[in-house]
Amino acid sequence: MGSGPAPAGAVGTATDTGDDALLGRADECRRLGALLADAVDGHGGALVLRGAAGVGKTALLQHCAARSTGMRVLHATGAPFEADLPFSALHQLARPLLHRLGDLPAQQADALRTVFAIDGSSRPVNRLAAYVATLSLLTTAAEDTPVLCLVDDAHWIDPASAEALLFTARRLLADRVAVVFAARDAPAFPAPGLPELPLTGLARDDAIRLAMRAGLDRRVAADLAAATAGNPLALTELPATLSEEHRNGWLPLREPLVLVERIETTVLAHARGLPDDTWRALVACAVTEVTTPALLERILVADGLRLGVLDPAVDAGLIRVTDREVTFRHPLTRAAVHSVAGPGRRRAAHLAVAAALTGDDTADRRAWHLAAATTVPDEGVAALLADSAERAQRRGGVVAEARAYERSARLTPDPDVRASRLAAASRAWANAGASRHAITLGEEAIGLTRRADLRCRVKPLLAHLAQQHGDTAGAEAYLADAQAYAQADPLGAARLMSARVNQFWARLDVTGMVPLCARVAELAAADAGATWPKGPIRLAAAQVLAGLPEGVASARALVAACAGHADGSAAELAEVFCWLGDHDTARALLEPEIDRARAADDVFLLAYALPRLAGLEWRTGRLHAAYQAAAEAVRIAEQVALPVLRAEALAALALVEALLGEEPEALAHVEDARRLLPGEFREIEVRLRYATGIAAVVGARWQDAVTELERVRRAQRDGGIAEPGWLPVAAELAEAYAHLSDPQRSARRLRDLAGAGGAAARAAAARVEGLLAGEPDLDEVFAAALARCDPAVVPLERARTLLSYGQRLRRARCRRDARVQLHAALRLFEALGAQGWARRCRTEIDATGRRPPEPGDRTVDRLTGQERLIALHVAEGLTNREIAARVFLSPKTVEYHLGNVYRKLRLRSRPELIRHLSGPPAAG
């Protein structure tokens, strides 16, 4: 039941003359008018109206609707009883546009069909996919007619709808869409990133004028204006509740005049004169979400009543009934009826509503109404709520899923079943970002059951959440008794121990990981029916890191086991092959896993796999592709709100930016990641130091590079990491020491590379040998080094070797020969996008006595991060709609950014951009 200001989907016809603003709200009306005008002109935006109950938020929404000339107006109104129904408010708003689903990309259309339960669609969908689809639906509709979305009582809309609409509102730029939210100060409706317009009471003179319209003389109106702080609803509603003595000023007004209490008093006064059947029907209206007379009549018939019994309530001014809808005079009136009714009448009303909701499409509402009428454990109602939770999970309504499982657990009589449902609620709350509450429910579940499978299911989650909050001791406590479950549930115990491996890795303790991973693999093998490759993969990874020879063979034997698993196993194993320098195998594992994640809208798997893809790409010199993967990982991690995932993605992005020569951006992202990291996450901190060290290497600040990279090397040594390819620090240190004229330390670091696999490691070692060689041997040593640098395999290493060769030749006064190598290096660095090294090449060329080529004015470093990412997606061959889905923008906004790309790079078409960014690296 709502108080919607106009029919959903209506197209406004009134014109804004500029002098017909609401009383006392001229400034607010002008700001809203500008928002609508901008949207019509293709500059979308959003605004949150925020203020106390009765301050005039709904009136301003009605003003917008009346002045929305040529716009399609969509409405949604929040209601407390729909807060547990995922995407219910979004469905209310988007219903007039559902015929446009066919205009969306198939995956997005399927996501909305699923969350709205259209056509029986029931495939699981991630909530982020639904948010992107919401953005696409509104902006696609706006291509024909500008769209105005008005969301009243936003503080009461269900969380899934709130997140989808806020996600959309924050991304409106070049779209003909305006969104206006109206929300109270409390309960909270957080809207970070959106402009807000706070509403307070009317100014004194305007408040007096409004009160006088209700029949008060000026003196009493002035007193009422002061007593109500100019609240418009109070000024229009309270005069009717005043006695004749107060209305005429014979008695002073009693202060304070509390609006909610006075409306409740009015409801009580009217209720005393209402027939009992009318009161029962009125309570049914207050507890249900129906707005149509037809459905309300079915509910009343189920309670032995007819719609006509509401006539006295209509006459009393409590509700309005039209052919299309039944609404209360104001949301506060509904709340007052609900409060005054008492628990017994409310339970009876909920039962009547549940009896009328018999269709499959109303199963969730039926379950919640039955739950509201139930005060003791009842497995039948609990099972209905558990079914509702499963439907919410498939639709991506994670908060609704969590609430349904939790309420189901409270109504479940059997302790083990209750524990299982509490465990499901704990996981859902964790996915919703409410980790503290998730821990509370998980601990309650553990305390209810001795079942090994349940405890092994809950404890890894609790350990993960504890670690996210920096409570490593708490995480260890959850996992300490994993061995106790080995006999009853070996695979469960293996998974529990595998979660403990995360604790060792977080603090970079490979020495402790190896025996634990061995036990995990042993337990996983004990369950003959299990197919869980992650345990053996973790053992192989630990063995490789520790320098144990059996690790490489184990890793190769596990490649086939990853087929068909979309759980991060392939990405984890691919990372091992990156350390080993086997980039072809790493790519063969990673790319299908990422494709599977995209097909399934699995953003958590994407957030895990994309930083590993970025690692593969920078190791092979594909810096633009590395940037693309890392930047997408950051965007996804921001949406799923997991701080460690986001810190990991930022570390990957910072390293790529360092390699590109964008040091300010890299260092900013390093600091962003550090602010996110809980305690004891040494592994990510070491990655951040590595990125900082590489930024110093690119900038030729060799002492700074040594300071940071030696810390990385010591962390690797102290943690038991013997594999030089984890973070390839030895060659970087060897080069830094060579430039610092410390050949002994340089040689020691070169010895660390002995036996290192992969073309990049061999090329780097050969380059440093060239830096250490005597002048008579320069040509021979660098010729051998360049022979190890296939430009198709390790283009960045080849460019760095050419730069080093040119530097040595210049210092040997072979300036002409130096320029040959330096120009070749410059061409290759520019082709790779490595502008930091390109700047060093120009400095070296200038030092040979010749002016270096001017920097190109068509390089991607001229673009913003958003523009660069879109340009790189274009080079990948994606359409604007496909790019929009990747970067969480509308196609129109992608088109807007793409226009900036063309202008800055002086290109005229998409094919030109693809050729510009996709050309082969220049040979050197």
Side-chain angles (χ1 to χ4, degrees):
M1 300 262 293
S3 51
V11 177
T13 56
T15 59
D16 190 352
T17 62
D19 56 2
D20 190 24
L22 295 171
L23 178 63
R25 298 296 189 201
D27 290 343
E28 291 86 347
C29 289
R30 276 193 292 270
R31 183 163 177 184
L32 289 166
L35 177 72
L36 270 58
D38 285 345
V40 170
D41 289 340
H43 305 289
L47 185 65
V48 180
L49 305 176
R50 199 179 292 279
V55 80
K57 302 183 295 295
T58 300
L60 284 168
L61 293 186
Q62 292 171 336
H63 177 84
C64 282
R67 282 149 182 79
S68 55
T69 304
M71 302 183 78
R72 175 179 289 278
V73 184
L74 306 174
H75 294 283
T77 301
F81 37 74
E82 287 204 339
D84 295 309
L85 302 175
F87 297 103
S88 55
L90 180 62
H91 182 263
Q92 182 185 356
L93 182 111
R95 187 166 44 198
L97 302 181
L98 295 183
H99 67 285
R100 302 293 302 266
L101 288 180
D103 298 334
L104 303 186
Q107 204 165 358
Q108 294 181 8
D110 287 346
L112 287 181
R113 289 190 182 97
T114 298
V115 301
F116 294 152
I118 297 173
D119 300 334
S121 180
S122 61
R123 77 175 185 90
V125 61
N126 188 281
R127 64 185 187 277
L128 186 55
Y131 303 165
V132 175
T134 300
L135 174 64
S136 290
L137 180 63
L138 293 177
T139 55
T140 297
E143 292 175 6
D144 297 335
T145 305
V147 171
L148 171 61
C149 301
L150 301 176
V151 184
D152 204 359
D153 289 330
H155 48 277
W156 280 333
I157 67 175
D158 63 280
S161 295
E163 290 173 5
L165 291 170
L166 289 169
F167 177 96
T168 296
R170 283 191 288 264
R171 285 160 178 80
L172 298 173
L173 178 62
D175 306 288
R176 299 196 299 169
V177 179
V179 183
V180 184
F181 299 94
R184 292 187 194 170
D185 298 319
F189 175 70
L194 292 186
E196 298 203 359
L197 180 58
L199 298 178
T200 57
L202 298 176
R204 182 177 182 276
D205 290 346
D206 292 323
I208 291 172
R209 288 172 58 196
L210 186 59
M212 291 176 66
R213 292 179 182 177
L216 302 182
D217 71 27
R218 185 173 183 84
R219 182 168 55 85
V220 177
D223 291 344
L224 186 63
T228 59
N231 184 288
L233 182 65
L235 293 168
T236 55
E237 295 289 335
L238 292 186
T241 73
L242 299 177
S243 68
E244 183 179 358
E245 290 84 354
H246 290 110
R247 289 177 60 84
N248 290 317
W250 301 334
L251 291 176
L253 296 175
R254 289 172 296 174
E255 296 189 43
L257 289 175
V258 181
L259 177 62
V260 174
E261 292 179 1
R262 295 306 295 260
I263 289 180
E264 192 167 296
T265 300
T266 304
V267 170
L268 276 171
H270 286 303
R272 292 191 189 101
L274 292 177
D276 185 66
D277 285 352
T278 301
W279 183 238
R280 284 166 54 201
L282 199 60
V283 176
C285 291
V287 303
T288 189
E289 68 280 5
V290 297
T291 58
T292 63
L295 183 52
L296 179 58
E297 183 153 31
R298 279 169 37 207
I299 292 170
L300 296 179
V301 167
D303 200 23
L305 304 172
R306 292 288 180 182
L307 190 62
V309 301
L310 283 171
D311 289 345
V314 174
D315 295 338
L318 296 174
I319 60 171
R320 301 186 183 95
V321 179
T322 69
D323 291 341
R324 297 184 59 180
E325 60 182 356
V326 180
T327 58
F328 278 87
R329 181 186 181 105
H330 191 276
L332 289 177
T333 309
R334 173 202 292 281
V337 170
H338 194 274
S339 174
V340 168
R345 281 189 182 272
R346 287 198 297 268
R347 285 196 296 271
H350 281 296
L351 285 173
V353 174
L357 300 175
T358 56
D360 292 341
D361 59 337
T362 58
D364 294 327
R365 289 183 171 88
R366 173 179 167 79
W368 278 105
H369 281 294
L370 287 173
T374 304
T375 58
V376 296
D378 184 321
E379 176 55 30
V381 177
L384 290 175
L385 280 172
D387 291 342
S388 178
E390 291 178 9
R391 287 190 291 271
Q393 189 276 329
R394 289 194 295 271
R395 295 198 297 270
V398 64
V399 174
E401 175 195 359
R403 286 176 171 167
Y405 271 130
E406 184 174 355
R407 180 65 174 138
S408 174
R410 302 300 175 212
L411 295 176
T412 301
D414 182 88
D416 284 338
V417 179
R418 190 187 318 151
S420 178
R421 287 168 178 165
L422 281 171
S426 176
R427 183 168 295 279
W429 279 121
N431 289 339
S435 53
R436 298 290 189 188
H437 189 52
I439 290 173
T440 299
L441 295 182
E443 289 177 338
E444 184 181 348
I446 291 172
L448 279 172
T449 184
R450 303 307 303 169
R451 278 176 48 185
D453 61 327
L454 278 177
R455 294 171 74 85
C456 289
R457 197 171 88 206
V458 175
K459 285 192 171 187
L461 172 65
L462 298 184
H464 169 72
L465 294 175
Q467 191 170 15
Q468 288 277 341
H469 289 284
D471 183 8
T472 53
E476 288 285 358
Y478 288 126
L479 305 173
D481 59 350
Q483 183 60 39
Y485 306 112
Q487 187 170 356
D489 184 7
L491 184 58
R495 291 179 185 272
L496 194 53
M497 285 186 186
S498 180
R500 195 176 183 197
V501 170
N502 295 337
Q503 316 302 311
F504 284 85
W505 182 236
R507 56 180 184 258
L508 213 60
D509 181 3
V510 172
T511 304
M513 277 175 60
V514 173
L516 184 59
C517 288
R519 181 60 176 150
V520 169
E522 180 184 353
L523 286 171
D527 191 330
T531 55
W532 183 60
K534 186 161 282 193
I537 287 172
R538 292 194 154 187
L539 175 58
Q543 290 171 334
V544 167
L545 287 170
L548 300 176
E550 60 267 33
V552 177
S554 298
R556 297 201 180 283
L558 286 164
V559 172
C562 292
H565 287 272
D567 60 355
S569 296
E572 199 159 342
L573 186 58
E575 191 170 25
V576 176
F577 285 104
C578 282
W579 306 335
L580 295 172
D582 186 349
H583 300 139
D584 290 341
T585 302
R587 192 175 299 280
L589 286 163
L590 260 175
E591 290 184 343
E593 176 120 294
I594 289 172
D595 289 343
R596 288 192 294 269
R598 292 197 194 282
D601 287 325
D602 189 340
V603 292
F604 292 98
L605 180 52
L606 281 173
Y608 179 77
L610 284 168
R612 283 143 186 86
L613 178 61
L616 169 62
E617 301 294 20
W618 69 253
R619 288 168 191 269
T620 55
R622 301 179 73 236
L623 300 184
H624 288 319
Y627 180 92
Q628 190 176 346
E632 185 180 0
V634 169
R635 286 174 178 274
I636 292 173
E638 286 172 347
Q639 296 303 318
V640 300
L642 290 176
V644 174
L645 269 181
R646 188 177 172 196
E648 183 182 38
L650 284 167
L653 181 58
L655 177 54
V656 175
E657 288 169 330
L659 291 165
L660 287 166
E662 297 169 5
E663 185 171 357
E665 292 83 356
L667 297 183
H669 286 134
V670 165
E671 292 308 310
D672 289 345
R674 283 184 173 140
R675 282 191 289 269
L676 289 167
L677 276 180
E680 295 296 321
F681 265 86
R682 193 179 184 200
E683 185 262 339
I684 296 179
E685 172 57 31
V686 170
R687 290 181 183 273
L688 296 173
R689 287 203 176 277
Y690 185 72
T692 305
I694 292 300
V697 167
V698 175
R701 298 192 314 280
W702 302 113
Q703 191 57 59
D704 291 344
V706 165
T707 299
E708 294 293 342
L709 297 176
E710 279 290 0
R711 289 176 178 174
V712 174
R713 187 183 69 84
R714 286 194 295 271
Q716 289 179 314
R717 179 199 62 201
D718 295 345
I721 296 179
E723 168 52 52
W726 176 60
L727 286 180
V729 70
E732 303 296 348
L733 277 169
E735 179 171 351
Y737 282 126
H739 283 286
L740 290 171
S741 302
D742 192 341
Q744 291 184 336
R745 282 195 173 95
S746 183
R748 282 202 295 271
R749 297 290 73 84
L750 274 182
R751 286 196 291 273
D752 293 340
L753 281 172
R762 292 190 294 271
R767 177 176 71 253
V768 177
E769 288 171 358
L771 288 171
L772 296 175
E775 287 187 4
D777 301 321
L778 282 182
D779 291 336
E780 180 181 351
V781 174
F782 271 106
L786 288 170
R788 293 188 177 187
C789 299
D790 185 343
V793 178
V794 284
L796 184 59
E797 292 301 331
R798 183 174 184 85
R800 293 181 66 179
T801 301
L802 288 165
L803 171 59
S804 296
Y805 191 11
Q807 288 175 315
R808 288 299 314 273
L809 288 170
R810 181 184 66 79
R811 290 178 181 128
R813 300 184 182 278
C814 301
R815 295 181 176 181
R816 180 179 297 176
D817 293 339
R819 283 195 291 270
V820 172
Q821 306 304 325
L822 292 170
H823 278 284
L826 177 60
R827 289 193 298 272
L828 193 45
F829 281 133
E830 289 196 326
L832 296 170
Q835 296 301 323
W837 271 302
R839 288 190 290 272
R840 282 176 55 190
C841 281
R842 290 191 179 87
T843 300
E844 289 289 335
I845 293 170
D846 187 64
T848 67
R850 294 291 179 88
R851 177 175 295 181
E854 290 296 323
D857 60 357
R858 300 174 66 189
T859 55
V860 293
D861 61 331
R862 295 172 53 83
L863 307 177
T864 66
Q866 186 87 276
E867 291 163 356
R868 175 188 290 185
L869 192 56
I870 288 170
L872 293 174
H873 282 310
V874 168
E876 192 182 348
L878 300 184
T879 66
N880 282 7
R881 286 197 178 277
E882 291 168 335
I883 296 169
R886 290 273 184 97
V887 299
F888 309 144
L889 295 173
S890 72
K892 277 287 186 185
T893 300
V894 169
E895 183 180 327
Y896 169 83
H897 286 301
L898 200 49
N900 288 337
V901 171
Y902 292 149
R903 177 176 54 79
K904 290 180 180 181
L905 301 185
R906 293 189 289 112
L907 300 170
R908 291 176 295 180
S909 68
R910 203 178 196 94
E912 276 191 33
L913 177 60
I914 293 173
R915 286 194 298 271
H916 184 68
L917 295 179
S918 304

